[in-house]
Amino acid sequence: GAPLLRVSDLKVHFPIHDGVLIRRRSGSVKAVDGVSFEVRKGETLGLVGESGCGKSTTGMAILRMTPLTGGRIEFEGQDISGLGARKMRPLRQRLQMVYQDPYGSLNPRMKVGDIVGEPLVIHGVTGTQDAYRARIQELLRLVGLRPDMAERYPHEFSGGQRQRISIARAVALNPSLVLCDEPVSALDVSIQAQVVNLFQELQERLGLSYLFIAHDLAVVRHVSHRIAVMYLGRIVEIAPRDMLYREPLHPYTRGLLAAVPLPDPLAERTRVHEEITGEPPSVVNPPSGCHFHPRCPMAMPICAQRAPELTAIGNARSVACHLHGAAPALDGQAAA
Ligand code: SF4
Ligand code: MG
């Protein structure tokens, strides 16, 4: 059937301005520059890349919280590309978000029960007082919290517990898709696995799909069915999880994998990929051609001239790299 979410050639460009003369437009930042992917029913798609690569902006665009420069977003078969915040509201029952910061994202003056129940109130689906209270208790139990915690305030909870509260709130309306923007990045490593496990449990019990955004490949490894790797506004590789970890094709994916801690110290010896060094270049002034070429150990002359297209390799994966697929001719050379 049709995918739950289909993002086609998504572009989000922000105008940039010279100094304080904000009326003088001097260019644009291509935060998201032609991104396409699908999330299928019951699937977790990991979206991975360094900070500033456009992965959060992609999430904001899907929620229609930032204007699109181009492209199309379809959710549950409906084109939502043109919808503003008001027209999106009924759809937000089906499309929810869990944010990175479990400290800043919960209203400190609200009791936990009211935080979890607020989406029901906003959408006018509380039912009777008793039903409302019972639903909140059910949601708290679902995320591994005690029902009596409804009467307490967010500051009384640890980071991991607060993220459980955010998750209870996000699933309150029975969404089909939850966008998770680095939902465990702010938590202690010891807590991360527990929260990741909760996401997986809820997926099985509630039939949820996730777009799971993360800055490294370690966190998404266990949750994702497929993984898309982003670099400076573009997807450079998308593949089923095991294929991506076993045989990464894009040099950037290989570099990200080299940075993932291996569970077996002996495996260190067989590490084949070089870790990427240096800060990613800025999206304000990205490198020509393949944006990755200044950091790529495999770069060729063509790489600075032409941006590689995302190209299907077999039927499950795609990669954007001149090393894979048909090699285009250098400028000034006749194509054979
Ligand atoms: Fe490296 Fe060239 Fe491939 Fe870009 S296109 S990743 S620079 S080999
Ligand atoms: Mg971000």
Side-chain angles (χ1 to χ4, degrees):
L4 190 60
L5 176 75
R6 177 180 281 145
V7 173
S8 316
D9 201 22
L10 179 68
K11 292 192 173 91
V12 182
H13 298 178
F14 299 113
I16 47 173
H17 304 279
D18 271 340
V20 289
L21 296 171
I22 60 163
R23 267 167 299 173
R24 199 175 125 207
R25 190 174 157 147
S26 62
S28 67
V29 174
K30 296 175 177 175
V32 179
D33 198 25
V35 158
S36 302
F37 60 83
E38 294 177 356
V39 181
R40 300 160 194 163
K41 186 137 185 44
E43 179 186 47
T44 300
L45 178 71
L47 185 61
V48 174
E50 288 160 295
S51 92
C53 73
K55 54 197 195 301
S56 294
T57 307
T58 300
M60 299 294 270
I62 293 165
L63 291 170
R64 307 303 305 109
M65 291 165 77
T66 191
L68 306 188
T69 308
R72 186 178 166 96
I73 301 169
E74 287 161 74
F75 174 62
E76 294 186 330
Q78 184 182 349
D79 182 358
I80 61 169
S81 319
L83 300 187
R86 238 191 72 189
K87 289 223 169 106
M88 267 305 279
R89 218 178 94 171
L91 281 168
R92 289 298 306 274
Q93 294 198 36
R94 314 281 303 146
L95 178 54
Q96 285 287 320
M97 181 98 183
V98 175
Y99 295 94
Q100 173 173 359
D101 178 13
Y103 297 92
S105 58
L106 303 178
N107 186 337
R109 286 194 221 36
M110 282 173 77
K111 285 184 180 173
V112 165
D114 294 327
I115 291 172
V116 170
E118 191 178 40
L120 304 167
V121 175
I122 291 172
H123 288 272
V125 291
T126 51
T128 65
Q129 269 298 329
D130 283 351
Y132 177 59
R133 228 168 292 144
R135 177 64 177 150
I136 289 168
Q137 300 199 343
E138 183 188 13
L139 287 163
L140 290 173
R141 268 193 226 100
L142 191 65
V143 298
L145 295 174
R146 289 197 324 269
D148 62 279
M149 289 174 168
E151 297 304 315
R152 291 159 61 181
Y153 289 89
H155 74 263
E156 300 175 60
F157 294 88
S158 68
Q161 287 173 320
R162 286 183 208 212
Q163 209 53 316
R164 288 174 190 270
I165 296 165
S166 304
I167 295 166
R169 179 186 163 92
V171 301
L173 293 163
N174 290 316
S176 58
L177 179 64
V178 181
L179 307 187
C180 311
D181 190 359
E182 306 225 27
V184 301
S185 304
L187 304 178
D188 288 348
V189 174
S190 59
I191 306 297
Q192 288 186 353
Q194 294 173 19
V195 176
V196 164
N197 287 343
L198 174 62
F199 276 109
Q200 283 183 299
E201 261 173 59
L202 293 178
Q203 179 163 58
E204 280 160 34
R205 291 174 70 166
L206 308 175
L208 295 172
S209 302
Y210 298 123
L211 179 65
F212 203 101
I213 296 171
H215 63 261
D216 67 51
L217 280 166
V219 164
V220 293
R221 180 166 204 156
H222 297 285
V223 281
S224 304
H225 299 96
R226 291 185 304 133
I227 294 173
V229 178
M230 268 186 96
Y231 192 78
L232 291 190
R234 299 172 182 165
I235 288 179
V236 296
E237 182 162 10
I238 182 163
R241 184 257 316 264
D242 292 341
M243 197 181 265
L244 190 97
Y245 285 85
R246 204 172 45 232
E247 191 204 355
L249 292 185
H250 197 283
Y252 179 61
T253 313
R254 289 186 202 153
L256 284 181
L257 273 176
V260 172
L262 297 171
D264 174 6
L266 291 177
E268 200 71 36
R269 283 192 222 145
T270 61
R271 219 186 247 294
V272 286
H273 311 306
E274 246 179 275
E275 203 164 327
I276 299 161
T277 51
E279 290 291 303
S282 164
V283 273
V284 176
N285 191 14
S288 61
C290 172
H291 289 344
F292 188 55
H293 84 259
R295 299 167 89 188
C296 181
M298 311 292 285
M300 307 168 281
I302 184 72
C303 301
Q305 288 188 9
R306 298 267 183 82
E309 296 282 328
L310 193 64
T311 306
I313 307 286
N315 53 18
R317 75 155 80 191
S318 296
V319 63
C321 172
H322 293 310
L323 292 169
H324 303 281
L330 274 171
D331 281 354
Q333 287 182 352

